[in-house]
Amino acid sequence: MSVLEVQNLCYDYVQRYGVTHALKGVNGVFESGKLYALTGRSGSGKSTLLSLLAGFDRPKAGKITLDGEDISTVKPSLYRKEKVGMIFQAYNLIPHLTAVENVLLGAGGKKSRLPSEAQAILRSMGLEEAHFRKKPSHLSGGEQQRVAIARALASDACIILADEPTGNLDSDTGSMVVEILKDLAHRLGKCVILVTHSEEIASEADVRYRMSDGILV
Amino acid sequence: MKASLKNIIRLPNVFVTVFLVVFLCTVLILLCISVYRSCLSAEETLNQTTVVTMELTLKERLTRVETEDGGYEIVDLNHKLLDGQVLELLRAESRISELHYICNTFFFPADLLCTEAEYADLQAAAAEGGSFSRDTQLGLYEVGVAGCTREDLLPETLGVPKEDLTVTYLAGNGLEDGVLLPKKLYHGLGRPEAFLIGWYKAEGYGFRFDAPLPDYLLAHFEELKGKPAPPALSVPVCGYYTCGEDDQAATVMVANEKYWQSIYGAQDYYTLQENRQTFVRPDVDAFGEVGLAKIRMTTAYPGEVASIIGGLMDAGLGGDDYLITASDYEYKFVLAQMESMGNFSLVILCAAVLFGLLLLAVFLAYAVRKRQREIYILRALGYGEHGIALSFAFEFGTVILGALVCGVAAAYLFGNGICGMISQRAMENARSAVENLSPVAQSMANSETLRDQLESAVDRYLETDLSLAYGVPFPIYGILLGTAAVFSIYAYGLTRGIAKRNMMQKEG
Ligand SMILES: Nc1ncnc2c1ncn2[C@@H]1O[C@H](COP(=O)(O)OP(=O)(O)O)[C@@H](O)[C@H]1O
Ligand SMILES: [Mg+2]
């Protein structure tokens, strides 16, 4: 039972023409076994928060702890490899790799991961066998997201960060993806944080957070 | 690593392009280097094996000027240099390997130089005012080209018994020119008819040696005095008068130039250029052609002909009295062929290097950028910058190296064949140059000569061993490998640069 905790998180984008205060003191707790929905207007800082949770950069102020341990004390790539699985809105998959190969890539350093295991994960995501050896360009959006989720699972990460994974999908497929994510939280005990615009999808979540102008409310 | 190798197959567009660029450039570079080197070595061979003939001509030498008392005076028009000095200049030029003097013959008063008694006479004559005058027996020692006004004087002149003398007259010659030689010598000659002697009937010339005795001649006598007097002085022979064609008179040996200045009264000798009629000169002028007329020189430094000539002119020959022409048309023609091919290959080489480097640099940058998303995903999956960059560098490096190896192999295998084709074409071009000798040249008066010249030049070219062959100095392979390494490092840097960039910044 792990807990991801965020305290007074601030982040600025410094650019030539000025500074954007993307996060202005975000506080929040994310527990495993729950699906969190993060909503809010475009530009409110959702992606920024997710990126920080993924360890892509250090916050300007505040800290992120995983089970009480500050994640900045861990090598970011190692943290990402072992703790975090990420799913984006689109272009999740490496185009020249097959579905299975993409999933295997998620296993990262875990050399022991066999194609059969990757296939098992894919199967559990409801991807048809026929698609396993296909390149992403031959898969539908929903199928691609299943592969992306499978890949996030391949590393046994405890935190799944999904930045608008349904944004490019029709609502039926979208809700199917959300079902899967919910399943990940409830059945596999992952801590799933889902960024979405859709009220309908957000209502499926266990906990709903709303981002507004760099603040979590 | 295995995944990287797989990627190479999975991304054919990227890697086939890289491969082709590197492969083609490698082959081109190696071929061009080979052609260039072949040209250089052929040029070197050409330079080493070509001997260029130069010809120094005296524009005008001596003339006879009528004096007030009705006599004649010989005037040296060439005030600047004596023949000996000319020769000294030529000898000082170390690049000239052979000197072949072409002179008008003259009769040397050889008997004057024979005995002590004669020498005493000479000394006395010199003491009386330095002028020496007497009837002379003429003859050039050892070879004995001789002439005289009356045939019955010949035995005496030549110092041989009458029955030993062969006289051959050439038909239809008003001046009764003939060959006057001791039998012994006459029979020893391959072409006795080439020994044509002309002489003048004018009195006072030919048999009269009437000139101040120069100091160096006296010095020469002095030299002889100390030695046990030889019965006959052997006049050192320093050159030949050669004339190639049958209808031209030829081959006379001449005395050392040391003595030339003293022989104003000599008979002249001249060649027939067109037909024997021109042999007859109504305004008999023996003096215009006495002494040094032409010097044929050879040099084993064909490329330096201009500098040799320039050097000689600067050293004192000057262009007013002397003309030096070089027969280096063939050399220049052959050299031009090689140079143009060498330069062409150099241009292609530079283009291949430049385009290769540029294309590869640009394409690598493009290819890495194109895989930006992949880098980002890999980062998100927890791969380190170094690891990603290394695998990218490995992928590009492997392909570049593979293309390099294939290029070298292809150049090695087919290089000689391609080089052969290139030389074949070059030779055909040269041949067709003769055939297509432009109508303008055809219509020119000397088109025959031009054509002959060009033809023989082309022949010379075809004889020249311009065997283009594959040959690349070893360090070039090292440089190619080094370039591959540099590009791998470049790919590493590009990838790492993208991976390192703050992923969040990139997202915006
Ligand atoms: N790479 C970036 N450079 C500069 N500003 C950025 C960048 N990414 C996001 N921002 C700014 O930060 C704020 C938050 O953006 P973001 O986290 O992407 O919002 P959301 O995902 O909620 O739409 C916005 O004002 C956005 O303009
Ligand atoms: Mg966003």
Side-chain angles (χ1 to χ4, degrees):
Chain A
M1 175 84 176
S2 42
V3 180
L4 187 67
E5 203 175 340
V6 172
Q7 286 166 19
N8 189 34
L9 209 58
C10 298
Y11 191 84
D12 294 342
Y13 288 103
V14 182
Q15 281 167 313
R16 244 166 295 155
Y17 46 83
V19 178
T20 311
H21 305 289
L23 299 182
K24 303 170 181 170
V26 174
N27 292 293
V29 177
F30 305 92
E31 291 172 359
S32 55
K34 285 184 183 167
L35 173 65
Y36 293 86
L38 206 54
T39 56
R41 295 215 335 257
S42 182
S44 56
K46 305 182 294 291
S47 296
T48 307
L49 176 59
L50 243 54
S51 298
L52 287 182
L53 290 177
F56 272 133
D57 201 1
R58 298 254 171 98
K60 188 188 144 206
K63 66 176 178 179
I64 304 165
T65 55
L66 181 62
D67 297 335
E69 198 186 337
D70 192 334
I71 67 162
S72 64
T73 58
V74 191
K75 197 178 164 205
S77 60
L78 200 68
Y79 166 75
R80 275 200 296 281
K81 181 173 283 175
E82 293 180 347
K83 308 290 184 191
V84 183
M86 290 195 84
I87 303 152
F88 312 104
Q89 181 171 354
Y91 311 113
N92 264 307
L93 306 175
I94 292 177
H96 56 267
L97 299 184
T98 64
V100 173
E101 285 165 343
N102 263 291
V103 173
L104 278 174
L105 208 58
K110 290 205 181 90
K111 295 244 165 66
S112 55
R113 233 0 141 196
L114 297 169
S116 61
E117 289 179 82
Q119 288 175 6
I121 302 171
L122 278 172
R123 216 170 285 127
S124 71
M125 289 300 107
L127 193 73
E128 284 171 39
E129 198 94 19
H131 299 321
F132 286 5
R133 306 235 158 259
K134 284 186 181 168
K135 299 262 170 77
S137 54
H138 296 291
L139 298 174
S140 73
E143 286 158 356
Q144 284 186 29
Q145 289 308 54
R146 282 169 207 259
V147 177
I149 297 166
R151 190 181 58 192
L153 287 175
S155 64
D156 285 334
C158 55
I159 304 154
I160 306 286
L161 304 173
D163 195 348
E164 301 188 42
T166 57
N168 273 12
L169 306 176
D170 59 75
S171 60
D172 282 357
T173 321
S175 44
M176 217 148 64
V177 167
V178 174
E179 279 308 311
I180 293 171
L181 290 175
K182 206 158 134 189
D183 194 47
L184 293 186
H186 295 165
R187 206 163 48 78
L188 300 177
K190 309 279 179 193
C191 168
V192 183
I193 304 171
L194 165 71
V195 171
T196 180
H197 272 110
S198 152
E199 279 301 316
E200 193 188 333
I201 284 174
S203 64
E204 297 276 318
D206 302 314
V207 183
R208 287 183 61 170
Y209 283 128
R210 210 168 63 79
M211 281 290 286
S212 173
D213 197 18
I215 304 216
L216 203 61
V217 291
Chain B
M1 206 162 114
K2 215 172 117 194
S4 296
L5 291 178
K6 269 190 179 170
N7 268 351
I8 293 172
I9 304 162
R10 285 175 185 131
L11 293 167
N13 295 353
V14 174
F15 290 113
V16 166
T17 313
V18 171
F19 184 93
L20 281 182
V21 168
V22 176
F23 176 80
L24 287 177
C25 287
T26 305
V27 170
L28 264 182
I29 287 168
L30 294 179
L31 282 183
C32 287
I33 290 175
S34 297
V35 171
Y36 185 66
R37 274 168 49 100
S38 296
C39 287
L40 282 191
S41 78
E43 269 174 40
E44 207 180 297
T45 318
L46 180 73
N47 277 324
Q48 278 166 5
T49 55
T50 306
V51 172
V52 164
T53 315
M54 291 178 285
E55 206 168 74
L56 176 142
T57 328
L58 183 63
K59 286 181 177 167
E60 198 176 5
R61 181 52 184 278
L62 297 171
T63 194
R64 194 167 50 141
V65 179
E66 207 173 339
T67 55
E68 280 172 17
D69 57 357
Y72 289 99
E73 201 182 347
I74 298 160
V75 178
D76 192 344
L77 290 176
N78 178 24
H79 298 292
K80 253 167 104 187
L81 295 173
L82 298 174
D83 286 347
Q85 290 171 302
V86 172
L87 289 168
E88 256 163 46
L89 278 179
L90 299 182
R91 286 200 183 110
E93 172 55 81
S94 59
R95 287 173 293 183
I96 292 178
S97 47
E98 230 177 89
L99 289 172
H100 200 80
Y101 317 115
I102 301 171
C103 334
N104 297 295
T105 189
F106 43 81
F107 293 96
F108 197 79
D111 61 330
L112 287 181
L113 309 179
C114 290
T115 62
E116 288 273 339
E118 297 282 357
Y119 176 61
D121 279 356
L122 271 173
Q123 268 188 320
E128 272 168 30
S131 184
F132 174 79
S133 174
R134 57 168 280 181
D135 288 337
T136 53
Q137 287 189 326
L138 303 175
L140 190 65
Y141 237 78
E142 284 192 323
V143 174
V145 176
C148 61
T149 46
R150 274 162 47 203
E151 199 184 323
D152 57 344
L153 286 175
L154 273 174
E156 198 193 332
T157 303
L158 294 171
V160 289
K162 199 173 178 201
E163 59 273 23
D164 272 359
L165 205 64
T166 304
V167 177
T168 309
Y169 291 107
L170 295 168
N173 208 306
L175 284 175
E176 297 173 345
D177 310 308
V179 176
L180 311 165
L181 289 174
K183 243 181 199 159
K184 200 172 65 180
L185 192 66
Y186 183 79
H187 290 305
L189 287 169
R191 281 169 53 226
E193 69 277 12
F195 270 74
L196 287 173
I197 312 297
W199 65 88
Y200 308 113
K201 295 198 170 174
E203 251 185 76
Y205 290 102
F207 285 101
R208 227 178 144 69
F209 189 86
D210 192 2
L213 199 64
D215 286 347
Y216 51 80
L217 204 53
L218 284 172
H220 181 72
F221 298 147
E222 203 65 62
E223 233 174 76
L224 284 171
K225 221 172 99 182
K227 294 176 184 168
L233 174 73
S234 118
V235 175
V237 169
C238 67
Y240 301 88
Y241 188 98
T242 343
C243 227
E245 301 308 317
D246 282 342
D247 57 348
Q248 291 177 356
T251 315
V252 172
M253 283 191 175
V254 296
N256 192 307
E257 81 278 0
K258 200 164 154 190
Y259 311 115
W260 291 352
Q261 303 300 322
S262 63
I263 329 288
Y264 287 155
Q267 290 208 341
D268 77 335
Y269 173 85
Y270 41 105
T271 63
L272 294 177
Q273 291 303 327
E274 300 279 334
N275 56 61
R276 297 191 190 284
Q277 295 315 306
T278 60
F279 191 80
V280 182
R281 298 198 301 188
D283 57 331
V284 177
D285 181 357
F287 315 106
E289 299 183 13
V290 167
L292 190 60
K294 265 183 189 168
I295 298 179
R296 226 166 252 158
M297 304 165 268
T298 52
T299 177
Y301 301 89
E304 297 172 27
V305 165
S307 107
I308 293 174
I309 294 177
L312 289 174
M313 292 299 175
D314 292 345
L317 271 185
D320 292 338
D321 300 312
Y322 299 94
L323 178 77
I324 301 181
T325 52
S327 1
D328 56 352
Y329 177 79
E330 285 181 16
Y331 167 77
K332 281 181 177 160
F333 179 86
V334 178
L335 189 71
Q337 305 297 316
M338 286 164 186
E339 274 180 344
S340 72
M341 190 183 297
N343 289 341
F344 184 69
S345 65
L346 211 56
V347 167
I348 302 279
L349 172 69
C350 291
V353 168
L354 265 177
F355 275 93
L357 291 180
L358 210 72
L359 220 64
L360 204 56
V362 169
F363 191 78
L364 281 190
Y366 166 79
V368 172
R369 270 200 82 80
K370 204 119 193 255
R371 295 174 71 181
Q372 196 164 331
R373 189 77 207 175
E374 186 182 337
I375 296 170
Y376 181 57
I377 294 167
L378 288 171
R379 286 269 286 147
L381 291 174
Y383 289 84
E385 297 154 11
H386 175 70
I388 299 172
L390 211 60
S391 72
F392 271 50
F394 180 78
E395 288 168 25
F396 286 109
T398 305
V399 171
I400 292 172
L401 195 71
L404 215 64
V405 170
C406 291
V408 170
Y412 184 78
L413 287 178
F414 305 114
N416 278 329
I418 296 172
C419 285
M421 270 157 59
I422 298 173
S423 4
Q424 194 71 31
R425 269 215 65 79
M427 300 218 160
E428 275 161 21
N429 280 347
R431 246 184 236 120
S432 66
V434 179
E435 274 143 33
N436 302 337
L437 191 62
S438 73
V440 181
Q442 298 278 13
S443 67
M444 279 160 66
N446 57 350
S447 75
E448 284 293 301
T449 329
L450 255 181
R451 206 189 155 87
D452 286 350
Q453 205 178 24
L454 188 57
E455 256 168 14
S456 70
V458 168
D459 284 346
R460 174 79 173 83
Y461 170 55
L462 298 181
E463 279 165 22
T464 310
D465 183 25
L466 179 64
S467 45
L468 299 178
Y470 180 75
V472 174
F474 205 67
I476 297 289
Y477 297 119
I479 291 173
L480 288 175
L481 277 180
T483 315
V486 166
F487 273 108
S488 302
I489 294 168
Y490 172 66
Y492 177 92
L494 284 170
T495 314
R496 183 144 195 179
I498 289 178
K500 209 176 186 133
R501 219 183 304 161
N502 188 337
M503 283 300 160
M504 300 173 71
Q505 299 286 345
K506 188 223 99 218
E507 267 238 289

